[in-house]
Amino acid sequence: MNNLFYLVPVAAVVALAFAYMFFRQMMKESEGTATMKEIAQFVREGAMAYLKQQYKVVIIVFIVLAALFTFLAYLGVQNSWVPFAFLTGGFFSGLAGFVGMKTATYASARTANAAQRSLNSGLKVAFRSGAVMGLTVVGLGLLDIAIWWVILNHFVDIEGTQKLVFITTTMLTFGMGASTQALFARVGGGIYTKAADVGADLVGKVEAGIPEDDPRNPATIADNVGDNVGDVAGMGADLYESYCGSILATMALGAAAYSAVGVEAQMKAILAPMTIAAVGVVLSILGIYVVRTKEGAGMDQLLKSLGRGTNLSSILIAGVTFGIMYLLGMENWWGFSLSVVVGLFAGVIIGQATEYYTSHSYRPTQKLAESAETGPATVIISGVGLGMLSTAIPVLTIAVAILLAYLCANGFDLSFSADSLSTGLYGIGIAAVGMLSTLGITLATDAYGPIADNAGGNAQMSELDPEVRKRTDVLDALGNTTAATGKGFAIGSAALTGLALLASYIEEIKIGLEHLGKQIVNVSGELINAADATIPDIMAYYHVDLMNPVVLVGVFIGAMMSFLFCGLTMNAVGRAAQSMVTEVRRQFREIKGILTKEATPDYARCVEISTKGAQKEMLLPSLIAIIVPILVGLILGPAGVMGLLIGGLGSGFVLAVFMSNSGGAWDNAKKYVEEGHLGGKNSEAHKATVTGDTVGDPFKDTSGPSLNILIKLMSMVSIVMAMLTVAIH
């Protein structure tokens, strides 16, 4: 049975090997003309310069937090492995984002050049380049998990079932490092890209009446840089922590759920999520190879092409899961397999719902575009309404998935006994693993979008044949939909993972009580050792129920956190965008001859404004996400923290879906008009949809996607600080 573990490092190496192969294949493609190469170099240098600045800030934060954890470990209220696990989690998360961004900046011009040959050639280069990101994330994630498992299994000197509980809860803490890095990457990158995008759209497209990505627009290079640092580097770090978090939380739940049964049962429960993820990597690679299209394909055909790859991978992993569970010899292997299938289906349904509400192939976005005929106000009203309506299907899907995964795992036991509760929660965790098992290909479809967007920009600035721009626009519109689908997918997995992390927090509380040598009164009124306590025992000990005002206060603070965080990030984008708008207007006014192409805009100044704005604005919202759970734990104790996490999970999930879908729909409504509908480019309807898209930019690319990280980061911080919380309360 233990031999199955070796599938994990093998799958990691295979994923990284294929990522390298796809990267080399992309690099063999030509970047095209000298102008195309020059523009790509501008974007590449700008992206690297920003990332270096961001990492300087992030490194300082990581050093301070690692020092804090080391001090707490010295005091005996923190696991001594935590500082190291925290740093490795952050390093691998940052590395995943860096590799993805580096690939994207090399791929954009090559995609534009390939699009000169055919639509399929452009799709192949962009999608395979996106696959580098997808496979790098899953490869590094599994590699990090495998390394830490080997290290801790060798060095931890604890006997019996408590050893595996200690190892898995310790490994869970490196997720905080990944989440912290991801939040900085998402927020900073989101502020950067949207500041540039808003400036380019409002002044260039609306006021000056020039096309998107026109070289006369001073903000166009900064906009293209932003696509890479926000939508690629930020997204890579984001989904790295989602992927690792789901696997690690499920491993910890499995070790805890079967601690009373024995080490062998624990190992089966721990190996299951790792093995499913490992097999998912191989099947994702298979799915990548079936993605292709024909010349002249529209949105429907392109969506079907990408869907063919993702659906094939999902179907295969669903079938293979039953074999994995059977080979592991898990009790109720059939039920746990069904929990994985539930997670997979939930991901597919959320993706399809997101596609329906954001793609201009369907009526919701078409109706949104039609509202532009009466001006920007109705566009904004309609987009907000669409986003609100779009929350229903994902929320109901997750609700059903939680119930089904729980019941399948515990054999439809509704007694809510300690055993049924533990196995049911493990089922929810493994459903999250199932949802993310095909991340290798689903992330490829997401990362492909910014590459196609940059390719269109390069084609426009290089003044290639209009047919090339037409092809890249089709790929870009598809990218908007796949990006929205990817965000919906990430948010959905965050909901399931967040619930699993909530259960893991209770286990960490139990370990903290045990470490301090405390005894508790169980639900039967008996005095027992903390190590023997069940989830209901811990809940009862800390009075975690809805009638406890401490829990209710925590719920309200958690619900507030989602809105506070979004308010801070939205205002940050607004302030940075104001600076960009002012600068672009200044250049049009003071640098004579820009619009007549007799003078060259100062691109570097716009890049500098976005960089400084992002660096300045990203700190406060990111630090609040870390500080608030610590303060709630110190002041309100475990009951308040659980309320905080529940409130944050509920409000954050719904708000994230709303913002992501509204933003995606506004963007594609603009694309719909630009295709020639409702008067086409430069019409009044077009100007109205540009305004809607501008409002939607921070919705879908800054605040919305950052919320799923916020949900998990607050959980991770709470888990890491659990021992200190227990020591004080």
Side-chain angles (χ1 to χ4, degrees):
M1 182 180 66
N2 287 344
N3 290 335
L4 284 174
F5 166 75
Y6 294 106
L7 284 175
V8 180
V10 169
V13 172
V14 168
L16 294 173
F18 270 90
Y20 179 73
M21 183 185 75
F22 288 147
F23 179 80
R24 295 304 306 167
Q25 286 176 355
M26 178 270 294
M27 291 295 290
K28 289 177 181 177
E29 293 280 339
S30 170
E31 278 196 298
T33 65
T35 304
M36 294 170 72
K37 292 176 182 177
E38 185 182 16
I39 292 165
Q41 186 64 24
F42 279 144
V43 173
R44 200 153 42 242
E45 289 173 355
M48 291 303 300
Y50 169 78
L51 217 57
K52 285 178 182 177
Q53 288 298 317
Q54 178 179 278
Y55 286 163
K56 285 179 183 177
V57 175
V58 173
I59 285 171
I60 295 170
V61 174
F62 267 76
I63 290 171
V64 171
L65 288 172
L68 172 63
F69 297 147
T70 304
F71 178 68
L72 292 175
Y74 174 76
L75 295 177
V77 291
Q78 184 60 272
N79 185 331
S80 57
W81 289 98
V82 165
F84 306 102
F86 170 73
L87 290 173
T88 62
F91 172 77
F92 278 102
S93 178
L95 182 61
F98 174 82
V99 170
M101 192 208 70
K102 190 174 180 68
T103 303
T105 56
Y106 278 107
S108 56
R110 289 172 168 84
T111 299
N113 189 59
Q116 293 189 96
R117 297 196 302 271
S118 69
L119 182 65
N120 186 57
S121 296
L123 174 65
K124 186 177 177 180
V125 173
F127 184 71
R128 294 284 175 87
S129 301
V132 175
M133 163 72 89
L135 295 175
T136 299
V137 165
V138 297
L140 290 177
L142 289 178
L143 186 64
D144 199 5
I145 290 169
I147 290 171
W148 270 107
W149 175 262
V150 171
I151 291 172
L152 291 173
N153 198 39
H154 180 76
F155 285 103
V156 171
D157 189 23
I158 301 175
E159 296 298 323
T161 58
Q162 287 307 304
K163 177 177 180 177
L164 294 179
V165 172
F166 179 86
I167 289 173
T168 53
T169 50
T170 300
M171 289 175 68
L172 189 58
T173 60
F174 86 65
M176 180 184 167
S179 295
T180 303
Q181 162 59 28
L183 193 61
F184 275 105
R186 261 300 190 190
V187 172
I191 294 169
Y192 184 109
T193 184
K194 294 306 107 179
D197 203 357
V198 169
D201 283 355
L202 284 185
V203 186
K205 294 171 75 172
V206 176
E207 295 180 10
I210 59 179
E212 187 173 5
D213 298 312
D214 193 296
R216 293 171 291 177
N217 195 326
T220 190
I221 294 293
D223 186 13
N224 279 270
V225 170
D227 289 336
N228 291 287
V229 300
D231 296 338
V232 179
M235 176 180 58
D238 174 359
L239 286 167
Y240 174 88
E241 67 91 24
S242 295
Y243 185 70
C244 291
S246 66
I247 297 170
L248 294 169
T250 307
M251 288 168 61
L253 287 175
Y258 291 94
S259 60
V261 181
V263 173
E264 186 178 349
Q266 278 184 308
M267 278 300 301
K268 292 176 182 177
I270 291 168
L271 283 172
M274 288 196 285
T275 309
I276 291 167
V279 174
V281 167
V282 178
L283 298 178
S284 291
I285 294 169
L286 181 63
I288 289 166
Y289 276 100
V290 303
V291 174
R292 59 178 60 87
T293 192
K294 297 178 181 177
E295 188 59 38
M299 273 288 285
D300 292 342
Q301 290 87 351
L302 287 169
L303 283 168
K304 286 178 182 177
S305 297
L306 294 183
R308 191 183 306 118
T310 54
N311 292 337
L312 176 65
S313 297
S314 298
I315 292 168
L316 289 174
I317 191 64
V320 170
T321 295
F322 286 89
I324 292 170
M325 293 299 187
Y326 178 77
L327 287 173
L328 284 170
M330 290 190 70
E331 186 181 353
N332 189 28
W333 64 271
W334 182 261
F336 287 125
S337 300
L338 287 176
S339 293
V340 173
V341 173
V342 165
L344 278 164
F345 269 104
V348 170
I349 292 169
I350 291 172
Q352 291 297 313
T354 305
E355 181 184 316
Y356 175 73
Y357 280 106
T358 60
S359 171
H360 60 57
S361 298
Y362 301 101
R363 282 301 296 163
T365 299
Q366 291 174 5
K367 288 175 68 177
L368 174 59
E370 289 164 8
S371 71
E373 293 182 308
T374 50
T378 49
V379 170
I380 292 167
I381 293 169
S382 298
V384 170
L386 182 153
M388 289 179 173
L389 288 171
S390 73
T391 62
I393 295 176
V395 169
L396 291 173
T397 299
I398 288 296
V400 172
I402 288 170
L403 290 173
L404 284 178
Y406 178 89
L407 292 171
C408 289
N410 67 13
F412 287 80
D413 185 350
L414 292 171
S415 67
F416 297 103
S417 65
D419 288 340
S420 71
L421 193 60
S422 295
T423 53
L425 289 170
Y426 176 76
I428 294 170
I430 209 162
V433 174
M435 187 181 284
L436 289 168
S437 59
T438 56
L439 187 64
I441 186 169
T442 52
L443 184 50
T445 64
D446 200 347
Y448 140 88
I451 295 171
D453 191 1
N454 265 217
N458 194 300
Q460 180 76 47
M461 287 184 278
S462 303
E463 299 181 341
L464 299 182
D465 188 283
E467 181 62 25
V468 179
R469 179 66 201 223
K470 186 178 177 181
R471 289 169 182 166
T472 59
D473 278 349
V474 172
L475 295 175
D476 185 22
L478 174 67
N480 287 332
T481 300
T482 58
T485 303
K487 291 180 180 91
F489 188 79
I491 294 162
S493 68
L496 293 178
T497 304
L499 199 57
L501 288 171
L502 186 61
S504 298
Y505 175 70
I506 297 173
E507 294 300 328
E508 196 68 38
I509 289 292
K510 189 168 81 173
I511 290 171
L513 289 168
E514 183 186 355
H515 178 75
L516 296 170
K518 290 188 178 183
Q519 291 184 310
I520 69 168
V521 177
N522 66 9
V523 290
S524 303
E526 302 168 337
L527 191 66
I528 61 170
N529 293 322
D532 300 322
T534 62
I535 290 177
D537 292 335
I538 298 295
M539 298 278 284
Y541 179 72
Y542 285 107
H543 305 289
V544 183
D545 61 69
L546 289 177
M547 293 298 101
N548 184 348
V550 173
V551 176
L552 289 174
V553 169
V555 169
F556 279 114
I557 295 173
M560 174 206 71
M561 278 294 294
S562 300
F563 289 88
L564 176 64
F565 181 83
C566 286
L568 289 170
T569 51
M570 290 283 288
N571 283 333
V573 171
R575 286 190 292 270
Q578 283 179 322
S579 300
M580 184 65 72
V581 167
T582 301
E583 174 60 22
V584 175
R585 283 173 176 168
R586 182 195 69 79
Q587 291 199 31
F588 278 141
R589 186 176 60 253
E590 296 181 6
I591 304 176
K592 305 299 182 183
I594 287 182
L595 291 174
T596 58
K597 298 185 179 181
E598 294 172 322
T600 303
D602 186 357
Y603 300 124
R605 175 60 184 156
C606 292
V607 171
E608 183 185 350
I609 287 173
S610 272
T611 301
K612 287 183 177 179
Q615 298 297 314
K616 178 183 176 183
E617 300 284 359
M618 73 178 183
L619 273 173
L620 181 60
S622 301
L623 290 176
I624 283 177
I626 297 170
I627 293 168
V628 169
I630 296 174
L631 290 178
V632 169
L634 295 176
I635 298 169
L636 300 179
V641 172
M642 291 197 68
L644 172 81
L645 300 182
I646 292 167
L649 178 59
S651 69
F653 173 55
V654 179
L655 187 58
V657 173
F658 156 65
M659 299 188 82
S660 180
N661 288 352
S662 281
W666 273 317
D667 198 345
N668 275 335
K670 178 194 69 177
K671 289 284 191 299
Y672 182 73
V673 176
E674 289 176 346
E675 287 181 359
H677 303 278
L678 306 171
K681 292 182 179 180
N682 298 320
S683 64
E684 290 303 313
H686 182 229
K687 291 178 179 179
T689 56
V690 170
T691 302
D693 178 37
T694 303
V695 174
D697 277 337
F699 270 51
K700 68 179 174 65
D701 290 327
T702 307
S703 301
S706 298
L707 280 169
N708 72 78
I709 308 173
L710 176 73
I711 293 167
K712 287 170 289 185
L713 180 57
M714 289 200 300
S715 299
M716 289 292 186
V717 172
S718 301
I719 288 169
V720 170
M721 303 302 293
M723 203 173 291
L724 178 63
T725 304
V726 169
I728 293 174
H729 292 270

